[in-house]
Each structure stands twice: as structure tokens, then as C-alpha cells.
Coordinates of all heavy atoms in Angstrom, one line a residue:
M49 N -43.8 10.1 39.8 CA -44.5 10.5 38.6 C -45.1 9.2 38.0 O -44.7 8.1 38.2 CB -43.5 11.0 37.6 CG -42.9 12.3 37.9 SD -42.1 13.0 36.4 CE -43.5 14.0 35.8
S50 N -46.2 9.4 37.3 CA -46.8 8.3 36.6 C -47.4 8.7 35.2 O -47.7 9.9 35.1 CB -47.9 7.7 37.4 OG -49.1 8.5 37.4
F51 N -47.5 7.8 34.3 CA -48.1 8.1 33.0 C -49.5 8.6 33.2 O -49.9 9.6 32.7 CB -48.1 6.9 32.1 CG -48.7 7.1 30.8 CD1 -48.1 7.9 29.8 CD2 -50.0 6.6 30.5 CE1 -48.7 8.2 28.6 CE2 -50.6 6.9 29.3 CZ -50.0 7.7 28.3
A52 N -50.3 7.8 34.0 CA -51.7 8.1 34.2 C -51.9 9.5 34.8 O -52.8 10.3 34.3 CB -52.3 7.1 35.1
A53 N -51.2 9.9 35.8 CA -51.4 11.1 36.5 C -50.7 12.3 35.9 O -51.3 13.4 36.0 CB -51.0 11.0 38.0
D54 N -49.5 12.2 35.4 CA -48.7 13.3 34.9 C -48.6 13.5 33.4 O -48.6 14.6 32.9 CB -47.3 13.2 35.5 CG -47.3 13.1 37.0 OD1 -47.8 14.1 37.7 OD2 -47.0 12.0 37.6
V55 N -48.5 12.4 32.7 CA -48.2 12.5 31.2 C -49.4 12.4 30.4 O -49.6 13.3 29.5 CB -47.2 11.4 30.8 CG1 -47.0 11.3 29.3 CG2 -45.8 11.6 31.6
K56 N -50.3 11.5 30.6 CA -51.5 11.4 29.8 C -52.3 12.7 29.7 O -52.8 13.1 28.6 CB -52.4 10.2 30.3 CG -53.6 9.9 29.4 CD -54.3 8.6 29.9 CE -55.5 8.4 29.1 NZ -56.7 8.5 29.9
P57 N -52.5 13.4 30.9 CA -53.2 14.7 30.8 C -52.6 15.7 30.0 O -53.2 16.8 29.7 CB -53.3 15.1 32.3 CG -53.0 13.9 33.1 CD -52.1 13.0 32.3
L58 N -51.3 15.6 29.6 CA -50.7 16.6 28.7 C -51.2 16.5 27.3 O -51.2 17.5 26.5 CB -49.2 16.3 28.6 CG -48.3 16.3 29.9 CD1 -46.9 15.9 29.6 CD2 -48.3 17.7 30.5
F59 N -51.8 15.4 26.9 CA -52.3 15.2 25.6 C -53.8 15.4 25.5 O -54.6 14.8 26.1 CB -52.0 13.8 25.1 CG -50.5 13.5 25.1 CD1 -50.0 12.4 25.9 CD2 -49.6 14.2 24.4 CE1 -48.7 12.1 25.9 CE2 -48.2 13.9 24.4 CZ -47.8 12.9 25.2
R60 N -54.2 16.4 24.6 CA -55.6 16.7 24.4 C -56.3 15.6 23.5 O -55.6 14.9 22.8 CB -55.7 18.1 23.7 CG -55.0 19.2 24.3 CD -54.9 20.4 23.3 NE -54.1 20.0 22.1 CZ -53.9 20.8 21.1 NH1 -54.4 22.0 21.1 NH2 -53.2 20.4 20.1
D61 N -57.6 15.7 23.6 CA -58.4 14.8 22.8 C -58.0 14.9 21.3 O -57.9 13.9 20.6 CB -59.9 15.3 22.9 CG -60.8 14.1 22.8 OD1 -60.5 13.1 22.2 OD2 -62.0 14.2 23.3
E62 N -57.8 16.2 20.8 CA -57.5 16.4 19.4 C -56.1 15.9 19.1 O -55.8 15.6 17.9 CB -57.7 17.8 19.0 CG -57.0 18.9 19.8 CD -57.8 19.5 20.9 OE1 -58.5 18.8 21.6 OE2 -57.8 20.8 21.0
D63 N -55.2 16.0 20.1 CA -53.8 15.4 19.8 C -53.9 13.9 19.5 O -53.3 13.4 18.6 CB -52.9 15.6 21.1 CG -52.6 17.1 21.4 OD1 -52.6 17.9 20.4 OD2 -52.5 17.4 22.6
R64 N -54.7 13.3 20.4 CA -54.8 11.9 20.3 C -55.5 11.5 18.9 O -55.0 10.6 18.2 CB -55.7 11.3 21.4 CG -55.8 9.8 21.4 CD -56.9 9.4 22.3 NE -56.8 7.9 22.5 CZ -57.9 7.2 22.8 NH1 -59.1 7.7 23.0 NH2 -57.7 5.9 22.9
A65 N -56.5 12.2 18.5 CA -57.2 11.9 17.3 C -56.3 12.2 16.1 O -56.3 11.4 15.1 CB -58.5 12.8 17.2
S66 N -55.6 13.3 16.1 CA -54.7 13.7 15.0 C -53.5 12.7 14.8 O -53.1 12.4 13.7 CB -54.1 15.1 15.2 OG -55.1 16.0 15.3
M67 N -53.1 12.1 15.9 CA -51.9 11.2 15.9 C -52.2 9.7 15.8 O -51.3 8.9 15.8 CB -51.0 11.5 17.1 CG -50.3 12.8 17.1 SD -49.6 13.2 15.5 CE -48.5 11.8 15.3
D68 N -53.5 9.5 15.7 CA -54.0 8.1 15.6 C -53.4 7.3 14.5 O -53.2 6.1 14.7 CB -55.5 8.2 15.4 CG -56.2 6.9 15.4 OD1 -55.9 6.1 16.3 OD2 -57.0 6.6 14.4
F69 N -52.9 7.9 13.4 CA -52.3 7.2 12.3 C -51.0 6.6 12.7 O -50.5 5.6 12.0 CB -52.2 8.1 11.1 CG -51.1 9.1 11.2 CD1 -49.8 8.8 10.8 CD2 -51.3 10.3 11.8 CE1 -48.7 9.8 10.9 CE2 -50.3 11.3 12.0 CZ -49.0 11.0 11.5
A70 N -50.3 7.2 13.7 CA -49.0 6.7 14.1 C -48.9 6.0 15.4 O -48.3 4.9 15.5 CB -48.0 7.9 14.2
F71 N -49.6 6.5 16.4 CA -49.7 5.9 17.8 C -50.8 6.5 18.6 O -51.3 7.5 18.2 CB -48.3 6.0 18.5 CG -47.7 7.4 18.3 CD1 -48.2 8.5 18.9 CD2 -46.5 7.5 17.5 CE1 -47.6 9.7 18.7 CE2 -45.9 8.7 17.3 CZ -46.5 9.9 17.9
D72 N -51.1 5.8 19.7 CA -52.2 6.3 20.6 C -51.5 7.1 21.8 O -50.9 6.5 22.6 CB -53.0 5.1 21.1 CG -54.2 5.5 22.0 OD1 -54.3 6.7 22.3 OD2 -54.9 4.6 22.3
L73 N -51.7 8.4 21.8 CA -51.1 9.2 22.8 C -51.7 9.0 24.2 O -51.2 9.5 25.2 CB -51.2 10.7 22.5 CG -50.3 11.2 21.4 CD1 -50.6 12.6 20.9 CD2 -48.8 11.1 21.8
W74 N -52.8 8.3 24.3 CA -53.4 7.9 25.6 C -53.0 6.5 26.0 O -53.5 6.0 27.0 CB -54.9 8.1 25.6 CG -55.3 9.6 25.6 CD1 -54.5 10.7 25.6 CD2 -56.6 10.1 25.6 NE1 -55.2 11.8 25.5 CE2 -56.5 11.5 25.5 CE3 -57.9 9.5 25.6 CZ2 -57.7 12.3 25.5 CZ3 -59.0 10.3 25.5 CH2 -58.9 11.7 25.5
S75 N -52.1 5.8 25.2 CA -51.7 4.5 25.6 C -50.3 4.5 26.2 O -49.4 5.0 25.5 CB -51.7 3.6 24.3 OG -50.8 2.6 24.4
Y76 N -50.2 3.9 27.4 CA -48.9 3.9 28.0 C -47.8 3.3 27.1 O -46.7 3.8 26.9 CB -49.0 3.2 29.4 CG -47.6 2.8 30.0 CD1 -46.9 3.9 30.5 CD2 -47.2 1.5 30.0 CE1 -45.6 3.6 31.0 CE2 -45.9 1.3 30.5 CZ -45.1 2.3 31.0 OH -43.9 2.0 31.5
N77 N -48.1 2.1 26.6 CA -47.2 1.4 25.8 C -46.7 2.1 24.5 O -45.6 2.2 24.2 CB -47.7 0.0 25.4 CG -47.7 -1.0 26.5 OD1 -46.9 -0.9 27.4 ND2 -48.7 -1.9 26.6
D78 N -47.7 2.8 23.9 CA -47.4 3.5 22.7 C -46.5 4.8 23.0 O -45.5 5.0 22.3 CB -48.7 4.0 22.0 CG -49.3 2.9 21.1 OD1 -48.9 1.8 21.3 OD2 -50.2 3.3 20.3
V79 N -46.8 5.5 24.0 CA -46.1 6.7 24.4 C -44.7 6.3 24.9 O -43.7 6.9 24.5 CB -46.8 7.6 25.4 CG1 -46.0 8.7 25.9 CG2 -48.1 8.1 24.8
K80 N -44.6 5.2 25.6 CA -43.3 4.8 26.1 C -42.4 4.4 24.9 O -41.2 4.8 24.8 CB -43.5 3.6 27.0 CG -42.2 3.1 27.7 CD -42.4 1.9 28.5 CE -41.0 1.5 29.1 NZ -41.2 0.2 29.9
A81 N -43.0 3.6 24.0 CA -42.2 3.2 22.8 C -41.8 4.3 21.9 O -40.7 4.2 21.2 CB -43.1 2.2 22.0
N82 N -42.5 5.4 21.9 CA -42.2 6.6 21.0 C -41.7 7.8 21.8 O -41.7 8.9 21.2 CB -43.4 6.9 20.2 CG -43.8 5.8 19.2 OD1 -43.2 5.7 18.1 ND2 -44.8 5.0 19.5
A83 N -41.3 7.6 23.0 CA -41.0 8.7 23.9 C -39.9 9.6 23.4 O -40.1 10.9 23.4 CB -40.7 8.2 25.3
A84 N -38.9 9.1 22.9 CA -37.8 9.9 22.4 C -38.2 10.8 21.2 O -37.9 12.0 21.1 CB -36.6 9.0 22.0
L85 N -39.0 10.2 20.3 CA -39.5 10.9 19.1 C -40.5 12.0 19.5 O -40.5 13.1 19.0 CB -40.2 9.9 18.2 CG -40.5 10.3 16.8 CD1 -39.2 10.7 16.0 CD2 -41.2 9.2 16.0
I86 N -41.3 11.7 20.5 CA -42.3 12.6 21.0 C -41.6 13.8 21.7 O -41.9 15.0 21.4 CB -43.3 11.9 22.0 CG1 -44.2 11.0 21.2 CG2 -44.1 13.0 22.8 CD1 -45.1 10.0 22.1
L87 N -40.6 13.5 22.5 CA -39.9 14.6 23.2 C -39.2 15.5 22.1 O -39.3 16.7 22.3 CB -38.8 14.0 24.1 CG -38.0 15.1 24.9 CD1 -38.9 15.9 25.8 CD2 -36.9 14.4 25.7
E88 N -38.6 14.9 21.1 CA -37.9 15.7 20.1 C -38.9 16.6 19.4 O -38.6 17.8 19.2 CB -37.4 14.7 19.0 CG -36.5 15.3 18.0 CD -36.0 14.2 17.0 OE1 -35.6 13.1 17.4 OE2 -36.1 14.5 15.8
R89 N -40.1 16.2 19.1 CA -41.1 17.0 18.4 C -41.7 18.1 19.3 O -42.0 19.2 18.8 CB -42.2 16.2 17.8 CG -41.7 15.1 16.8 CD -41.1 15.7 15.5 NE -42.1 16.4 14.8 CZ -42.6 16.1 13.6 NH1 -42.1 14.9 13.0 NH2 -43.5 16.8 12.9
V90 N -41.9 17.8 20.6 CA -42.5 18.9 21.4 C -41.3 19.9 21.7 O -41.6 21.1 21.9 CB -43.2 18.4 22.7 CG1 -44.4 17.6 22.3 CG2 -42.3 17.6 23.6
E91 N -40.1 19.4 21.8 CA -39.0 20.3 22.1 C -38.7 21.3 20.9 O -38.5 22.5 21.1 CB -37.7 19.5 22.4 CG -37.6 19.1 23.8 CD -36.3 18.3 24.1 OE1 -35.7 17.7 23.1 OE2 -35.8 18.3 25.2
D92 N -38.8 20.7 19.7 CA -38.4 21.6 18.5 C -39.7 22.4 18.1 O -39.6 23.2 17.2 CB -37.8 20.8 17.4 CG -38.8 19.9 16.6 OD1 -40.0 20.0 16.8 OD2 -38.3 19.0 15.9
G93 N -40.8 22.2 18.8 CA -42.0 23.0 18.5 C -42.8 22.6 17.3 O -43.7 23.3 16.9
T94 N -42.5 21.5 16.7 CA -43.2 21.1 15.5 C -44.5 20.2 15.8 O -45.3 20.0 15.0 CB -42.3 20.3 14.5 OG1 -41.8 19.1 15.2 CG2 -41.2 21.1 14.0
M95 N -44.6 19.8 17.1 CA -45.8 19.1 17.5 C -46.2 19.6 18.9 O -45.3 19.9 19.7 CB -45.6 17.6 17.6 CG -45.6 16.9 16.3 SD -47.2 16.9 15.6 CE -46.8 17.1 13.8
P96 N -47.5 19.8 19.2 CA -48.6 19.7 18.3 C -48.5 20.7 17.2 O -47.9 21.7 17.3 CB -49.8 20.0 19.2 CG -49.3 20.0 20.6 CD -47.9 20.2 20.6
C97 N -49.3 20.4 16.1 CA -49.2 21.2 14.9 C -49.7 22.6 15.0 O -49.4 23.4 14.3 CB -49.9 20.4 13.7 SG -51.7 20.3 14.0
D98 N -50.6 22.8 16.1 CA -51.3 24.1 16.2 C -50.9 24.9 17.4 O -51.4 26.0 17.6 CB -52.8 23.8 16.3 CG -53.2 23.0 17.5 OD1 -52.3 22.2 18.0 OD2 -54.3 23.0 17.9
E99 N -49.9 24.4 18.2 CA -49.4 25.2 19.3 C -48.0 24.7 19.7 O -47.6 23.6 19.3 CB -50.4 25.2 20.5 CG -50.6 23.8 21.1 CD -51.2 23.9 22.5 OE1 -52.1 24.7 22.7 OE2 -50.9 23.0 23.3
T100 N -47.4 25.5 20.6 CA -46.1 25.0 21.1 C -46.3 24.7 22.6 O -46.9 25.5 23.3 CB -45.0 26.1 20.9 OG1 -45.0 26.5 19.6 CG2 -43.7 25.6 21.4
W101 N -45.7 23.6 23.1 CA -45.8 23.3 24.5 C -45.0 24.3 25.3 O -43.9 24.7 24.9 CB -45.3 21.9 24.7 CG -46.3 20.8 24.7 CD1 -47.6 20.9 24.1 CD2 -46.2 19.5 25.2 NE1 -48.2 19.7 24.3 CE2 -47.4 18.8 24.9 CE3 -45.2 18.8 25.8 CZ2 -47.6 17.5 25.3 CZ3 -45.4 17.5 26.2 CH2 -46.6 16.8 25.9
S102 N -45.5 24.6 26.5 CA -44.7 25.5 27.5 C -43.5 24.6 28.0 O -43.5 23.4 27.9 CB -45.6 25.8 28.6 OG -46.0 24.7 29.3
E103 N -42.5 25.3 28.5 CA -41.3 24.7 29.0 C -41.8 23.8 30.2 O -41.2 22.7 30.4 CB -40.3 25.7 29.5 CG -39.0 25.1 29.9 CD -38.3 24.2 28.8 OE1 -38.4 24.5 27.6 OE2 -37.8 23.2 29.3
E104 N -42.8 24.2 30.9 CA -43.3 23.5 32.0 C -43.9 22.1 31.6 O -43.6 21.1 32.3 CB -44.5 24.3 32.6 CG -44.8 24.1 34.1 CD -45.8 25.1 34.6 OE1 -46.8 25.4 33.9 OE2 -45.6 25.6 35.7
K105 N -44.6 22.0 30.5 CA -45.1 20.8 30.0 C -44.0 19.9 29.5 O -44.0 18.7 29.8 CB -46.1 21.0 28.9 CG -47.5 21.5 29.3 CD -48.5 21.7 28.2 CE -49.1 20.4 27.8 NZ -50.3 20.6 26.9
I106 N -43.0 20.5 28.8 CA -41.9 19.7 28.3 C -41.1 19.1 29.4 O -40.7 17.9 29.4 CB -41.0 20.6 27.4 CG1 -41.8 21.1 26.2 CG2 -39.8 19.8 27.0 CD1 -41.1 22.1 25.3
E107 N -41.0 19.9 30.5 CA -40.2 19.4 31.7 C -40.9 18.2 32.3 O -40.2 17.3 32.8 CB -40.1 20.6 32.7 CG -39.0 20.4 33.7 CD -37.6 20.4 33.0 OE1 -37.4 21.3 32.1 OE2 -36.8 19.6 33.4
I108 N -42.2 18.2 32.4 CA -42.9 17.0 33.0 C -42.6 15.8 32.1 O -42.3 14.7 32.7 CB -44.4 17.3 33.0 CG1 -44.8 18.4 34.0 CG2 -45.2 16.0 33.3 CD1 -46.2 18.9 34.0
F109 N -42.7 15.9 30.8 CA -42.4 14.7 29.9 C -40.9 14.3 30.1 O -40.7 13.1 30.2 CB -42.7 15.1 28.5 CG -42.9 13.9 27.6 CD1 -44.0 13.2 27.6 CD2 -41.8 13.4 26.9 CE1 -44.2 12.0 26.8 CE2 -41.9 12.3 26.1 CZ -43.1 11.6 26.0
R110 N -40.0 15.3 30.1 CA -38.6 14.9 30.2 C -38.3 14.2 31.6 O -37.6 13.2 31.6 CB -37.8 16.3 30.2 CG -36.5 16.2 29.5 CD -35.8 17.5 29.6 NE -36.0 18.4 28.4 CZ -36.3 19.7 28.5 NH1 -36.5 20.3 29.6 NH2 -36.5 20.4 27.3
D111 N -38.9 14.7 32.7 CA -38.7 14.1 34.0 C -39.2 12.7 34.0 O -38.6 11.8 34.6 CB -39.4 15.0 35.1 CG -38.7 16.3 35.3 OD1 -37.5 16.5 34.8 OD2 -39.2 17.1 36.0
W112 N -40.4 12.5 33.4 CA -41.0 11.2 33.4 C -40.1 10.2 32.6 O -39.9 9.1 33.1 CB -42.4 11.3 32.7 CG -43.1 10.0 32.4 CD1 -43.7 9.2 33.4 CD2 -43.3 9.3 31.2 NE1 -44.2 8.1 32.8 CE2 -44.0 8.1 31.5 CE3 -42.9 9.6 29.9 CZ2 -44.4 7.2 30.5 CZ3 -43.3 8.7 28.9 CH2 -44.0 7.5 29.2
M113 N -39.5 10.6 31.5 CA -38.6 9.8 30.8 C -37.3 9.5 31.6 O -36.8 8.4 31.7 CB -38.1 10.5 29.5 CG -39.2 10.4 28.4 SD -38.6 11.2 26.9 CE -37.4 9.9 26.3
A114 N -36.8 10.5 32.3 CA -35.6 10.4 33.2 C -35.9 9.4 34.3 O -34.9 8.7 34.7 CB -35.2 11.7 33.7
E115 N -37.1 9.2 34.7 CA -37.5 8.3 35.8 C -37.7 6.9 35.2 O -38.1 6.0 35.9 CB -38.7 8.8 36.6 CG -38.4 9.9 37.5 CD -39.6 10.3 38.4 OE1 -40.5 9.5 38.5 OE2 -39.5 11.4 38.9
G116 N -37.5 6.7 33.9 CA -37.7 5.4 33.3 C -39.1 5.1 32.9 O -39.5 4.0 32.8
C117 N -39.9 6.2 32.6 CA -41.3 6.0 32.1 C -42.2 5.2 32.9 O -42.8 4.2 32.5 CB -41.3 5.5 30.6 SG -40.3 6.4 29.5
P118 N -42.3 5.5 34.2 CA -43.2 4.7 35.1 C -44.7 4.8 34.6 O -45.1 5.9 34.2 CB -43.0 5.4 36.5 CG -42.5 6.8 36.2 CD -41.7 6.7 35.0
P119 N -45.4 3.7 34.7 CA -46.8 3.6 34.3 C -47.7 4.4 35.2 O -48.7 4.9 34.8 CB -47.2 2.1 34.3 CG -46.1 1.5 35.2 CD -44.9 2.3 35.1
Ligands
LIG180 C1 -48.7 16.8 21.9 C2 -49.4 16.3 20.8 C3 -48.7 15.7 19.7 C4 -47.5 14.9 19.7 C5 -46.7 14.5 20.9 C6 -47.2 14.6 18.3 C7 -46.1 13.8 17.9 C8 -45.8 13.5 16.6 C9 -44.7 12.7 16.2 C10 -43.7 12.1 17.2 C11 -44.7 12.6 14.9 C12 -43.8 11.8 14.0 C13 -44.4 10.5 13.7 C14 -43.5 9.5 13.0 O1 -42.5 10.0 12.3 O2 -43.7 8.3 13.0 C15 -45.9 13.4 14.4 C16 -46.3 13.5 13.1 C17 -47.4 14.2 12.6 N1 -48.3 14.8 13.4 FE1 -48.3 15.0 15.5 N2 -48.2 15.1 17.5 C18 -49.1 15.8 18.3 C19 -50.2 16.5 17.9 C20 -50.6 16.7 16.6 C21 -51.7 17.5 16.1 C22 -52.6 18.3 17.0 C23 -51.7 17.4 14.8 C24 -52.7 18.2 14.0 C25 -52.9 18.1 12.7 C26 -50.6 16.5 14.3 C27 -50.3 16.2 13.0 C28 -49.3 15.4 12.6 C29 -48.9 15.1 11.2 C30 -49.8 15.6 10.0 C31 -47.8 14.3 11.3 C32 -47.0 13.8 10.0 C33 -46.1 14.8 9.4 C34 -45.0 15.1 10.3 O3 -44.2 14.2 10.7 O4 -44.8 16.3 10.6 N3 -50.0 16.1 15.5 N4 -46.5 13.9 15.5

């Protein structure tokens, strides 16, 4: 798995723009640094603010973290 191929495509243009105040969802370093918080919010369904991620998408993010967040 890699951030570029598997994780970055999970985030839409509008996700990135909306979250710009806190971190850059298309930045490897930012997503890695906030990974636990991001996982918590997509798991509890409070982010993104306008939809809930499918279990399939959450699984990709979880697996990426389990592999040590490879770039
Ligand atoms: C997959 C996409 C998204 C992820 C992973 C995400 C993740 C997060 C996280 C982790 C926080 C907490 C930040 C902190 O406490 O420092 C947050 C806050 C926030 N996000 Fe998002 N976000 C996403 C999309 C969006 C979208 C589409 C909106 C649309 C308005 C949005 C609006 C907000 C707002 C207003 C807050 C601050 C209030 C709160 O913590 O609930 N986010 N988001």
C-alpha cells in the first residue's frame, strides 16, 4: 500500500479545501501526523461533514495505518 496510490485518492477536492484550516489531506506528512484523529472521525461518521465513508474506504485507511503509513 502507499499514500499516493491508496490513501490520497480517498480524499475529494472539497475534503481538502474544507479541512485546509487544520491540515492538508493531500499531504503525506499531514495525514500521517493526524492519522489517528482522521480514522476516529471517519469511523464515527462525523467526517466528512456531508457523507459517511463506506466500510471499504475505512478499511483501506486502517490497513495503511497498520502497515506503518507507507508513503
Ligand atoms: C474525508 C474527509 C475529511 C476528513 C478525514 C476530516 C477530518 C477532520 C478532523 C480529524 C477534524 C478534527 C480536527 C481537529 O480537531 O484538529 C475535522 C474537523 C472539522 N471538519 Fe473535517 N474532515 C473531512 C472533510 C470535511 C468536510 C467535507 C467538511 C465540510 C464542511 C469538514 C468540516 C470540518 C469542520 C467544520 C471541522 C471543525 C469542527 C469539528 O471538529 O467537527 N470536514 N475534520
Side-chain angles (χ1 to χ4, degrees):
M49 295 194 90
S50 76
F51 177 75
D54 303 296
V55 173
K56 187 171 172 247
L58 298 174
F59 303 118
R60 304 164 301 175
D61 211 339
E62 57 262 46
D63 293 328
R64 185 190 190 208
S66 301
M67 291 314 302
D68 182 49
F69 74 92
F71 39 70
D72 181 354
L73 285 170
W74 289 358
S75 153
Y76 168 70
N77 287 328
D78 279 14
V79 173
K80 186 182 178 186
N82 294 281
L85 194 61
I86 289 168
L87 179 63
E88 190 182 314
R89 300 294 295 251
V90 295
E91 275 181 335
D92 73 14
T94 58
M95 284 292 145
C97 64
D98 60 340
E99 65 164 36
T100 306
W101 268 18
S102 62
E103 189 52 41
E104 207 171 42
K105 286 183 80 167
I106 297 173
E107 203 60 45
I108 292 171
F109 196 83
R110 217 184 264 134
D111 289 350
W112 175 72
M113 283 181 73
E115 287 186 15
C117 305

